[in-house]
């Protein structure tokens, strides 16, 4: 098992490499979140699900999931996100003098904890949406390549077609 | 539009059966369904959008837009709820109703469940009552439901059951791993474990193949059409008679009455948004407990100023569902085998007979827990987020078992559905509003059930456990909603007769979960189906041309 410092280091490193896989390098890839929002949200999501030998939230494209849903089913949460991220950045500037995205993993952890305390409604939203994007169906943009399911040891693709009985043995109604 | 003998409102568990029975008896029937007709080809296995996990909406209706409901918390604060939120108390809106995507546990209630008041006496403040019909009255119709819908299972392991004329038509699925772990543990505790009866083909039946044991069952439609609901059993039979027409995406807005106080048909809004009328000799309301009550309450006229069938202010009262409690056990060996549907083993030792408790409920293992369900099912003390949470997901997803059960709720007259004075749906109709709660004794029973589940898990080798027990702020009606138009002999204390006929309007029937007097300690669908066969049988026996004998 990694200790806290090691995992934070890995997640910071991996975090830099990530984004490429999910947003294909294009600036306009995200539909709702600005690049600045993406940086701040990545910081929080990757504290909720950090990288270890398996990918972090952002590496599994959780941000793609959240961004997409903010234009669809979660339109009603747009303002909560904008306000919450703004507040998180404010905190980061006040505490550490840097934008959240530029803060160290230790600092980002501290901010995530502070946000959980000060704005629990927003933090719970991000936590739920991060879990959904990581552990839910890949079809919605997150859980890239079903990475969380593989992590849990589930067959992917799943085994299909295990009828337990002889097909001809049925009784007539 | 051509006048017909019967309009059936809602193509769910109850409605599908009524349509089939009436149309095969030669009556002309129009069945109205507000939702769509999905086929096995529409059965995306989507972990975030199905009928059980609805964070991205209900897969099988209703949609979040334009279909709100309202609930009032114990402090009197009024909240609106979206269909994908728990407080909405949703079941489904589609052909098949809840039975398209249900878990398909197909339980008979026990004889005592029909005689709760005689067995236990009504706790003060409750509206616990006996049914006007007995288990024995329903037995032939349970049997008919088991054979026509297609039920698999094996009751031989339990002595806690009513008499039955014959075995189920299909054998149970082969045991999954949890079955093996839990069966021996239950026996060591002196309990009587057995195979859950399921509306699921385990062998070819009714022209469809057997279950192929996938990971996504409860809350999803079945891609091989092995799960048996009204949409793939009775409704196709009804349509094949040539006497039944099914109109989908048609929202019934009102039951129309004439100046003698009898129903003359319904008005509805069709899929194109046009208001239509369908005249009929009889109207059968099968819209599930909440919407059936709402439709009656919204059907106001000069003779029925408080809504149809509501002369004595009974419509909407005694709302019930089930109070689910139980426990999760965490093991130091793999319990998960990825063999669906997951739920496999049950005990009925605790449904009745505990001194001091008004009933109890069945206990069973849970359907396959998807990763998204595990997020909030990790052991107590696990951090809510961060590496610790991720590690717990890995450690326990394949090493945990949930046992829980539908504790029978003790109803009250104040736990009820009304229509909201202000909030309207997209058609401009007042929406359902929930008030009150079930009797607090319900929660005492639930607490003890949770401890019993925990003891079973510990005996099976669980190293640690989480108890799942709580006192809810509102009725948990939801998928198991029932009781809003209870049947009874006394018009002052019930809405319909024992034949499901509204007391003072002889050509309007309510045939769905609404009529349940008590909801048993079991999932309700098979009882809804048996009552639908029973009530249809009475209706047809009394039917004469375009009216009734007597
Ligand atoms: C995920 C899930 C799992 C479940 N698991 C189980 C289980 O394992 N075992 C079990 O016994 N039960 C289970 N249930 C519950 C079961 O599905 C219900 O008890 C049953 O379907 C209720 O039958 P009903 O006839 O009362 O209503 P429904 O089946 O809900 O049918 C009512 C129909 O009426 C339609 N309707 C409502 N209002 C109108 C209107 N105004 N105009 C036109 N149409 C209208 C609705 O759209 C709906 O299709 C489950 C349900 C769900 C959703
Ligand atoms: S577990 Fe069986 S019945 Fe359920 S959806 Fe899968 S194949 Fe169908």
């Amino acid at each position: 098992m990694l200790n806290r410092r090691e995992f934070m280091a890995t997640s910071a490193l991996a975090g830099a490499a990530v984004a490429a896989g999910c947003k294909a390098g294009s600036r306009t890839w995200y539909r709702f979140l600005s690049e600045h929002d993406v940086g701040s949200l990545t910081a929080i999501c990757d504290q909720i699900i950090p990288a270890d030998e398996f990918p972090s939230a952002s590496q599994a494209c959780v941000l793609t999931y959240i961004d997409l849903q903010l234009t669809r089913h979660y339109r009603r949460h747009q303002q909560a996100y904008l306000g919450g991220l703004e507040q998180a950045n404010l905190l980061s500037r006040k505490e550490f003098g840097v934008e959240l995205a530029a803060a160290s993993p230790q600092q980002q952890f501290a901010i995530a904890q502070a946000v959980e305390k000060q704005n629990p409604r927003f933090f719970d939203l991000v936590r739920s949406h991060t879990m959904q994007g990581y552990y839910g169906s890949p079809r919605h943009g997150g859980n890239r390549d079903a990475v969380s399911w593989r992590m849990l040891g589930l067959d992917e693709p799943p085994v299909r077609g295990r009828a337990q009985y002889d097909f001809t043995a049925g009784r007539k109604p | 539009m051509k006048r017909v003998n019967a309009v059936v409102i809602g193509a769910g568990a109850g409605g599908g059966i009524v349509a089939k029975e009436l149309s095969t008896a030669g009556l002309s029937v129009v069945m109205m369904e507000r939702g769509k007709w999905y086929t096995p080809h529409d059965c995306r296995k989507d972990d975030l959008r199905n009928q059980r996990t609805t964070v991205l909406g209900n897969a099988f209706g209703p949609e979040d837009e334009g279909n709100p409901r309202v609930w009032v918390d114990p402090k009197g604060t009024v909240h609106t709820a979206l269909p994908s939120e728990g407080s909405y108390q949703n079941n489904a809106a589609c052909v098949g109703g809840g039975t398209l995507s249900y878990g398909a546990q197909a339980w008979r209630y026990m004889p005592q469940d029909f005689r709760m008041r005689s067995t236990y006496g009504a706790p003060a403040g409750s509206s616990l009552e006996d049914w006007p019909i007995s288990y024995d009255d329903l037995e032939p119709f349970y049997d008919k439901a088991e054979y026509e819908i297609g039920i698999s299972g094996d009751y031989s392991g339990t002595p806690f059951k009513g008499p039955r004329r014959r075995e189920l038509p299909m054998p149970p699925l082969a045991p999954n791993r949890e079955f093996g772990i839990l069966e021996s543990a239950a026996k060591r505790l002196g309990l009587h474990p057995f195979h859950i009866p399921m509306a699921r083909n385990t062998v070819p039946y009714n022209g469809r193949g057997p279950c192929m044991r996938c990971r996504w069952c409860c809350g999803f439609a079945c891609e091989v059409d092995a799960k048996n609901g009204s949409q793939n059993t009775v409704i196709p039979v009804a349509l094949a008679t040539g006497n039944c027409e099914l109109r989908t995406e048609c929202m019934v807005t009102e039951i129309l009455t004439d100046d003698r106080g009898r129903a003359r048909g319904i008005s509805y809004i069709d899929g194109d948004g046009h208001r239509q009328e369908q005249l009929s000799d009889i109207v059968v309301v099968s819209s599930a407990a909440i919407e059936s009550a709402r439709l009656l309450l919204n059907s106001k006229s000069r003779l029925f100023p408080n809504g149809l069938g509501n002369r004595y202010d009974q419509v909407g009262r005694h709302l019930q569902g089930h109070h689910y409690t139980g426990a999760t056990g965490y093991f130091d060996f793999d319990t998960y085998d990825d063999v669906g549907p997951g739920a496999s083993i049950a005990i009925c030792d605790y449904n009745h007979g505990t001194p001091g408790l008004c009933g109890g409920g069945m206990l069973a293992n849970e359907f396959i827990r998807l990763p998204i369900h595990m997020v909030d099912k990790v052991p107590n003390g696990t951090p809510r987020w961060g590496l610790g949470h991720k590690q717990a997901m890995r450690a326990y997803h394949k090493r945990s078992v949930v046992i829980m059960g539908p504790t029978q709720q003790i109803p009250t007259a104040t736990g009820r559905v009304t229509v909201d004075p202000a909030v309207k749906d997209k058609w401009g109709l007042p929406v359902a509003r929930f008030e009150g709660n079930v009797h607090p004794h319900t929660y005492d029973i639930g607490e003890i059930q949770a401890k019993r589940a925990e003891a079973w898990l510990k005996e099976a080798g669980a190293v640690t456990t989480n108890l799942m027990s709580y006192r809810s702020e509102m009725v948990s009606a939801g998928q198991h909603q029932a009781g809003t138009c209870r049947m009874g002999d006394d018009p002052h204390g019930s809405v319909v007769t024992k034949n499901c006929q509204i007391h003072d309007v002889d050509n309007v029937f309510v045939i769905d979960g609404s009529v349940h007097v008590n909801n048993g300690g079991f999932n309700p669908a098979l009882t809804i189906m048996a009552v639908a066969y029973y009530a249809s049988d009475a209706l047809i026996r009394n039917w004469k041309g375009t009216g009734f004998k007597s």
Side-chain angles (χ1 to χ4, degrees):
Chain A
M1 205 196 288
L2 298 173
N3 66 30
R4 157 140 258 128
R5 275 190 58 193
E6 276 165 347
F7 96 72
M8 282 179 164
T10 0
S11 76
L13 266 183
V18 194
C22 300
K23 67 168 182 177
S26 148
R27 213 174 159 250
T28 53
W29 203 93
Y30 287 97
R31 293 156 201 240
F32 175 71
L33 299 169
S34 70
E35 208 160 335
H36 184 252
D37 297 334
V38 169
S40 324
L41 189 55
T42 300
I44 301 177
C45 293
D46 283 354
Q47 289 302 327
I48 293 171
I49 305 179
D52 49 8
E53 58 269 46
F54 294 93
S56 71
S58 69
Q59 288 168 324
C61 300
V62 163
L63 275 92
T64 307
Y65 168 79
I66 295 178
D67 177 68
L68 187 63
Q69 294 312 324
L70 284 173
T71 67
R72 293 186 179 171
H73 198 74
Y74 291 150
R75 264 192 308 270
R76 65 182 186 278
H77 297 314
Q78 285 182 353
Q79 287 318 310
Y81 267 82
L82 295 181
L85 290 175
E86 167 102 44
Q87 192 191 1
N89 263 310
L90 214 73
L91 256 172
S92 178
R93 282 197 295 270
K94 200 173 110 207
E95 293 291 314
F96 307 115
V98 284
E99 294 297 301
L100 183 53
S104 72
Q106 285 84 349
Q107 292 169 334
Q108 292 176 344
F109 177 71
I111 298 295
Q113 278 191 317
V115 172
E116 187 183 23
K117 269 217 192 71
Q118 293 175 19
N119 192 351
R121 205 184 82 81
F122 170 62
F123 188 84
D124 283 354
L125 267 187
V126 180
R127 176 188 177 270
S128 308
H129 297 170
T130 302
M131 297 298 184
Q132 291 162 17
Y134 197 80
Y135 293 108
S137 302
R139 78 169 78 243
H140 300 291
N143 193 7
R144 185 155 68 117
D145 298 332
V147 67
S148 72
W149 295 354
R150 293 172 204 274
M151 171 179 92
L152 298 179
L154 295 170
D155 291 325
E156 183 57 38
V159 180
R160 284 287 215 270
R162 289 171 299 193
Q164 305 280 310
Y165 291 96
D166 177 0
F167 263 54
T168 56
R171 267 193 261 165
K172 288 267 164 345
Chain B
M1 247 168 256
K2 208 172 129 248
R3 183 187 176 90
V4 291
N5 292 139
V7 171
V8 178
I9 308 166
I17 285 169
V18 176
K20 182 243 158 192
E21 290 292 282
L22 299 192
S23 60
T24 42
L27 280 76
S28 55
V29 177
V30 168
M31 187 164 29
M32 312 293 305
E33 170 53 52
R34 65 179 168 162
K36 296 185 180 143
W37 195 342
Y38 300 94
T39 71
H41 304 287
D42 300 314
C43 76
R44 286 177 151 210
K45 303 293 193 183
D46 186 333
D47 294 36
L48 301 177
R49 182 182 163 83
N50 51 73
Q51 215 59 16
R52 191 183 185 208
T53 306
T54 56
V55 293
L56 296 186
N58 297 312
F60 304 115
E63 290 166 2
D64 273 359
E65 284 80 39
N67 295 301
R69 280 178 183 165
V70 169
W71 67 283
V72 186
D73 70 21
K75 293 189 203 90
T77 314
V78 177
H79 308 262
T80 39
L82 294 174
S84 61
E85 292 172 337
S87 51
Y88 190 86
Q89 311 284 0
N90 189 35
N91 191 35
C94 60
V95 175
T99 69
L100 175 70
S101 59
Y102 64 172
Q105 299 198 25
W107 291 98
R108 291 183 175 206
Y109 292 176
M110 286 162 60
Q112 299 95 311
D113 295 325
F114 298 89
R115 300 180 45 76
M116 287 295 283
R117 190 189 179 105
S118 307
T119 308
Y120 298 106
S126 79
S127 57
L128 197 64
E129 263 302 339
D130 292 347
W131 288 53
I133 55 175
S134 68
Y135 175 88
D136 293 336
D137 293 330
L138 269 190
E139 203 283 332
F141 302 96
Y142 270 130
D143 180 78
K144 189 169 181 183
E146 286 167 346
Y147 275 74
E148 287 202 357
I149 305 294
I151 312 296
S152 55
D154 181 359
Y155 272 103
S156 64
T158 180
F160 304 103
K161 61 187 171 201
R164 27 181 322 123
R165 62 190 54 209
R166 53 180 167 166
E167 293 310 310
L168 292 169
M170 287 179 273
L173 288 168
N176 61 354
R177 191 176 293 161
E178 287 189 4
F179 189 105
I181 297 165
L182 295 171
E183 184 191 32
S184 48
K187 285 187 171 158
R188 285 196 299 277
L189 292 172
L191 302 169
H192 301 82
F194 64 106
H195 293 271
I196 300 175
M198 296 275 199
R200 180 175 290 103
N201 284 3
T202 54
V203 292
Y205 194 81
N206 251 333
R208 286 173 288 105
C211 167
M212 56 139 194
R213 317 210 64 176
C214 73
R215 194 183 297 158
W216 297 268
C217 193
C218 183
F220 302 87
C222 177
E223 66 200 284
V224 294
D225 216 8
K227 192 153 66 171
N228 305 325
S230 61
Q231 79 289 343
N232 58 4
T233 56
V234 282
I235 291 174
V237 174
L239 299 182
T241 62
N243 293 333
C244 178
E245 181 192 338
L246 170 60
R247 291 189 201 144
T248 57
E249 297 182 74
C250 288
M251 175 73 184
V252 177
T253 54
E254 192 184 346
I255 299 165
L256 305 168
T257 44
D258 60 22
D259 47 18
R260 288 171 305 140
R262 299 187 82 236
R264 57 185 183 88
I266 52 141
S267 79
Y268 67 98
I269 297 169
D270 70 16
D272 299 325
H274 300 304
R275 188 168 292 276
Q276 308 273 11
E277 284 187 5
Q278 174 63 56
L279 301 185
S280 62
D281 300 322
I282 60 174
V283 172
V284 182
V285 185
S286 302
S287 309
I290 295 164
E291 291 297 313
S292 288
R294 175 187 176 213
L295 181 61
L296 291 173
L297 293 171
N298 276 339
S299 299
K300 295 192 170 104
S301 59
R302 190 177 51 81
L303 287 174
F304 304 102
N306 301 318
L308 202 61
N310 198 29
R311 192 176 303 282
Y312 299 108
D313 189 23
Q314 284 295 308
V315 172
R317 292 189 184 275
H318 323 291
L319 176 64
Q320 303 158 60
H322 285 115
H323 174 51
Y324 265 89
T325 62
T328 309
Y330 304 94
F331 292 78
D332 55 9
F333 55 89
D334 279 8
T335 53
Y336 182 92
D337 58 3
D338 209 27
V339 175
S344 55
I345 185 167
I347 53 167
C348 295
D349 298 62
Y350 299 132
N351 280 69
H352 292 285
T354 308
L357 292 189
C358 280
M362 164 280 284
L363 287 175
N365 63 331
E366 175 54 322
F367 289 94
I368 284 196
R369 210 163 27 272
L370 299 171
I372 190 68
H373 302 143
M374 193 67 203
V375 166
D376 292 313
K377 275 248 179 282
V378 288
N380 289 338
T382 306
R384 286 177 68 235
W385 51 277
L387 199 60
H389 184 272
K390 189 180 185 186
Q391 285 165 340
M393 290 290 290
R394 281 209 292 274
Y396 295 112
H397 184 253
K398 288 192 155 182
R399 296 185 163 204
S400 49
V401 176
V402 174
I403 291 179
M404 58 184 198
T407 301
Q408 174 150 198
Q409 297 191 335
I410 309 299
T412 64
T414 48
R416 67 191 291 202
V417 176
T418 58
V419 285
D420 195 78
V423 180
K424 303 222 160 62
D425 68 8
K426 63 182 166 197
W427 296 282
L429 297 171
V431 303
R433 169 188 173 113
F434 307 114
E435 292 168 16
N437 202 341
V438 289
H439 192 274
H441 183 56
T442 304
Y443 300 116
D444 304 336
I445 307 172
E447 240 158 59
I448 290 172
Q449 289 290 93
K451 291 194 184 117
R452 290 163 161 171
E454 184 184 42
W456 186 3
L457 288 163
K458 286 199 164 140
E459 181 61 31
V463 181
T464 55
T465 50
N466 279 7
L467 272 183
M468 179 179 98
S469 179
Y470 57 98
R471 292 186 172 245
S472 172
E473 299 210 316
M474 72 188 294
V475 180
S476 65
Q479 299 168 351
H480 292 184
Q481 57 187 267
T484 53
C485 304
R486 52 165 47 168
M487 53 161 79
D489 298 326
D490 176 9
H492 296 265
S494 59
V495 176
V496 296
T497 67
K498 68 182 164 98
N499 292 336
C500 297
Q501 197 166 15
I502 287 190
H503 284 300
D504 57 356
V505 191
D506 76 347
N507 67 341
V508 179
F509 294 74
V510 182
I511 306 182
D512 61 14
S514 312
V515 304
H516 288 196
V517 179
N518 304 299
N519 211 16
F522 298 101
N523 313 49
L526 191 77
T527 302
I528 294 171
M529 292 167 171
V531 169
Y533 280 115
Y534 169 92
S536 304
D537 177 70
L539 197 164
I540 292 161
R541 276 190 285 105
N542 292 323
W543 175 256
K544 243 204 159 137
T546 59
F548 292 98
K549 292 184 209 158
S550 89

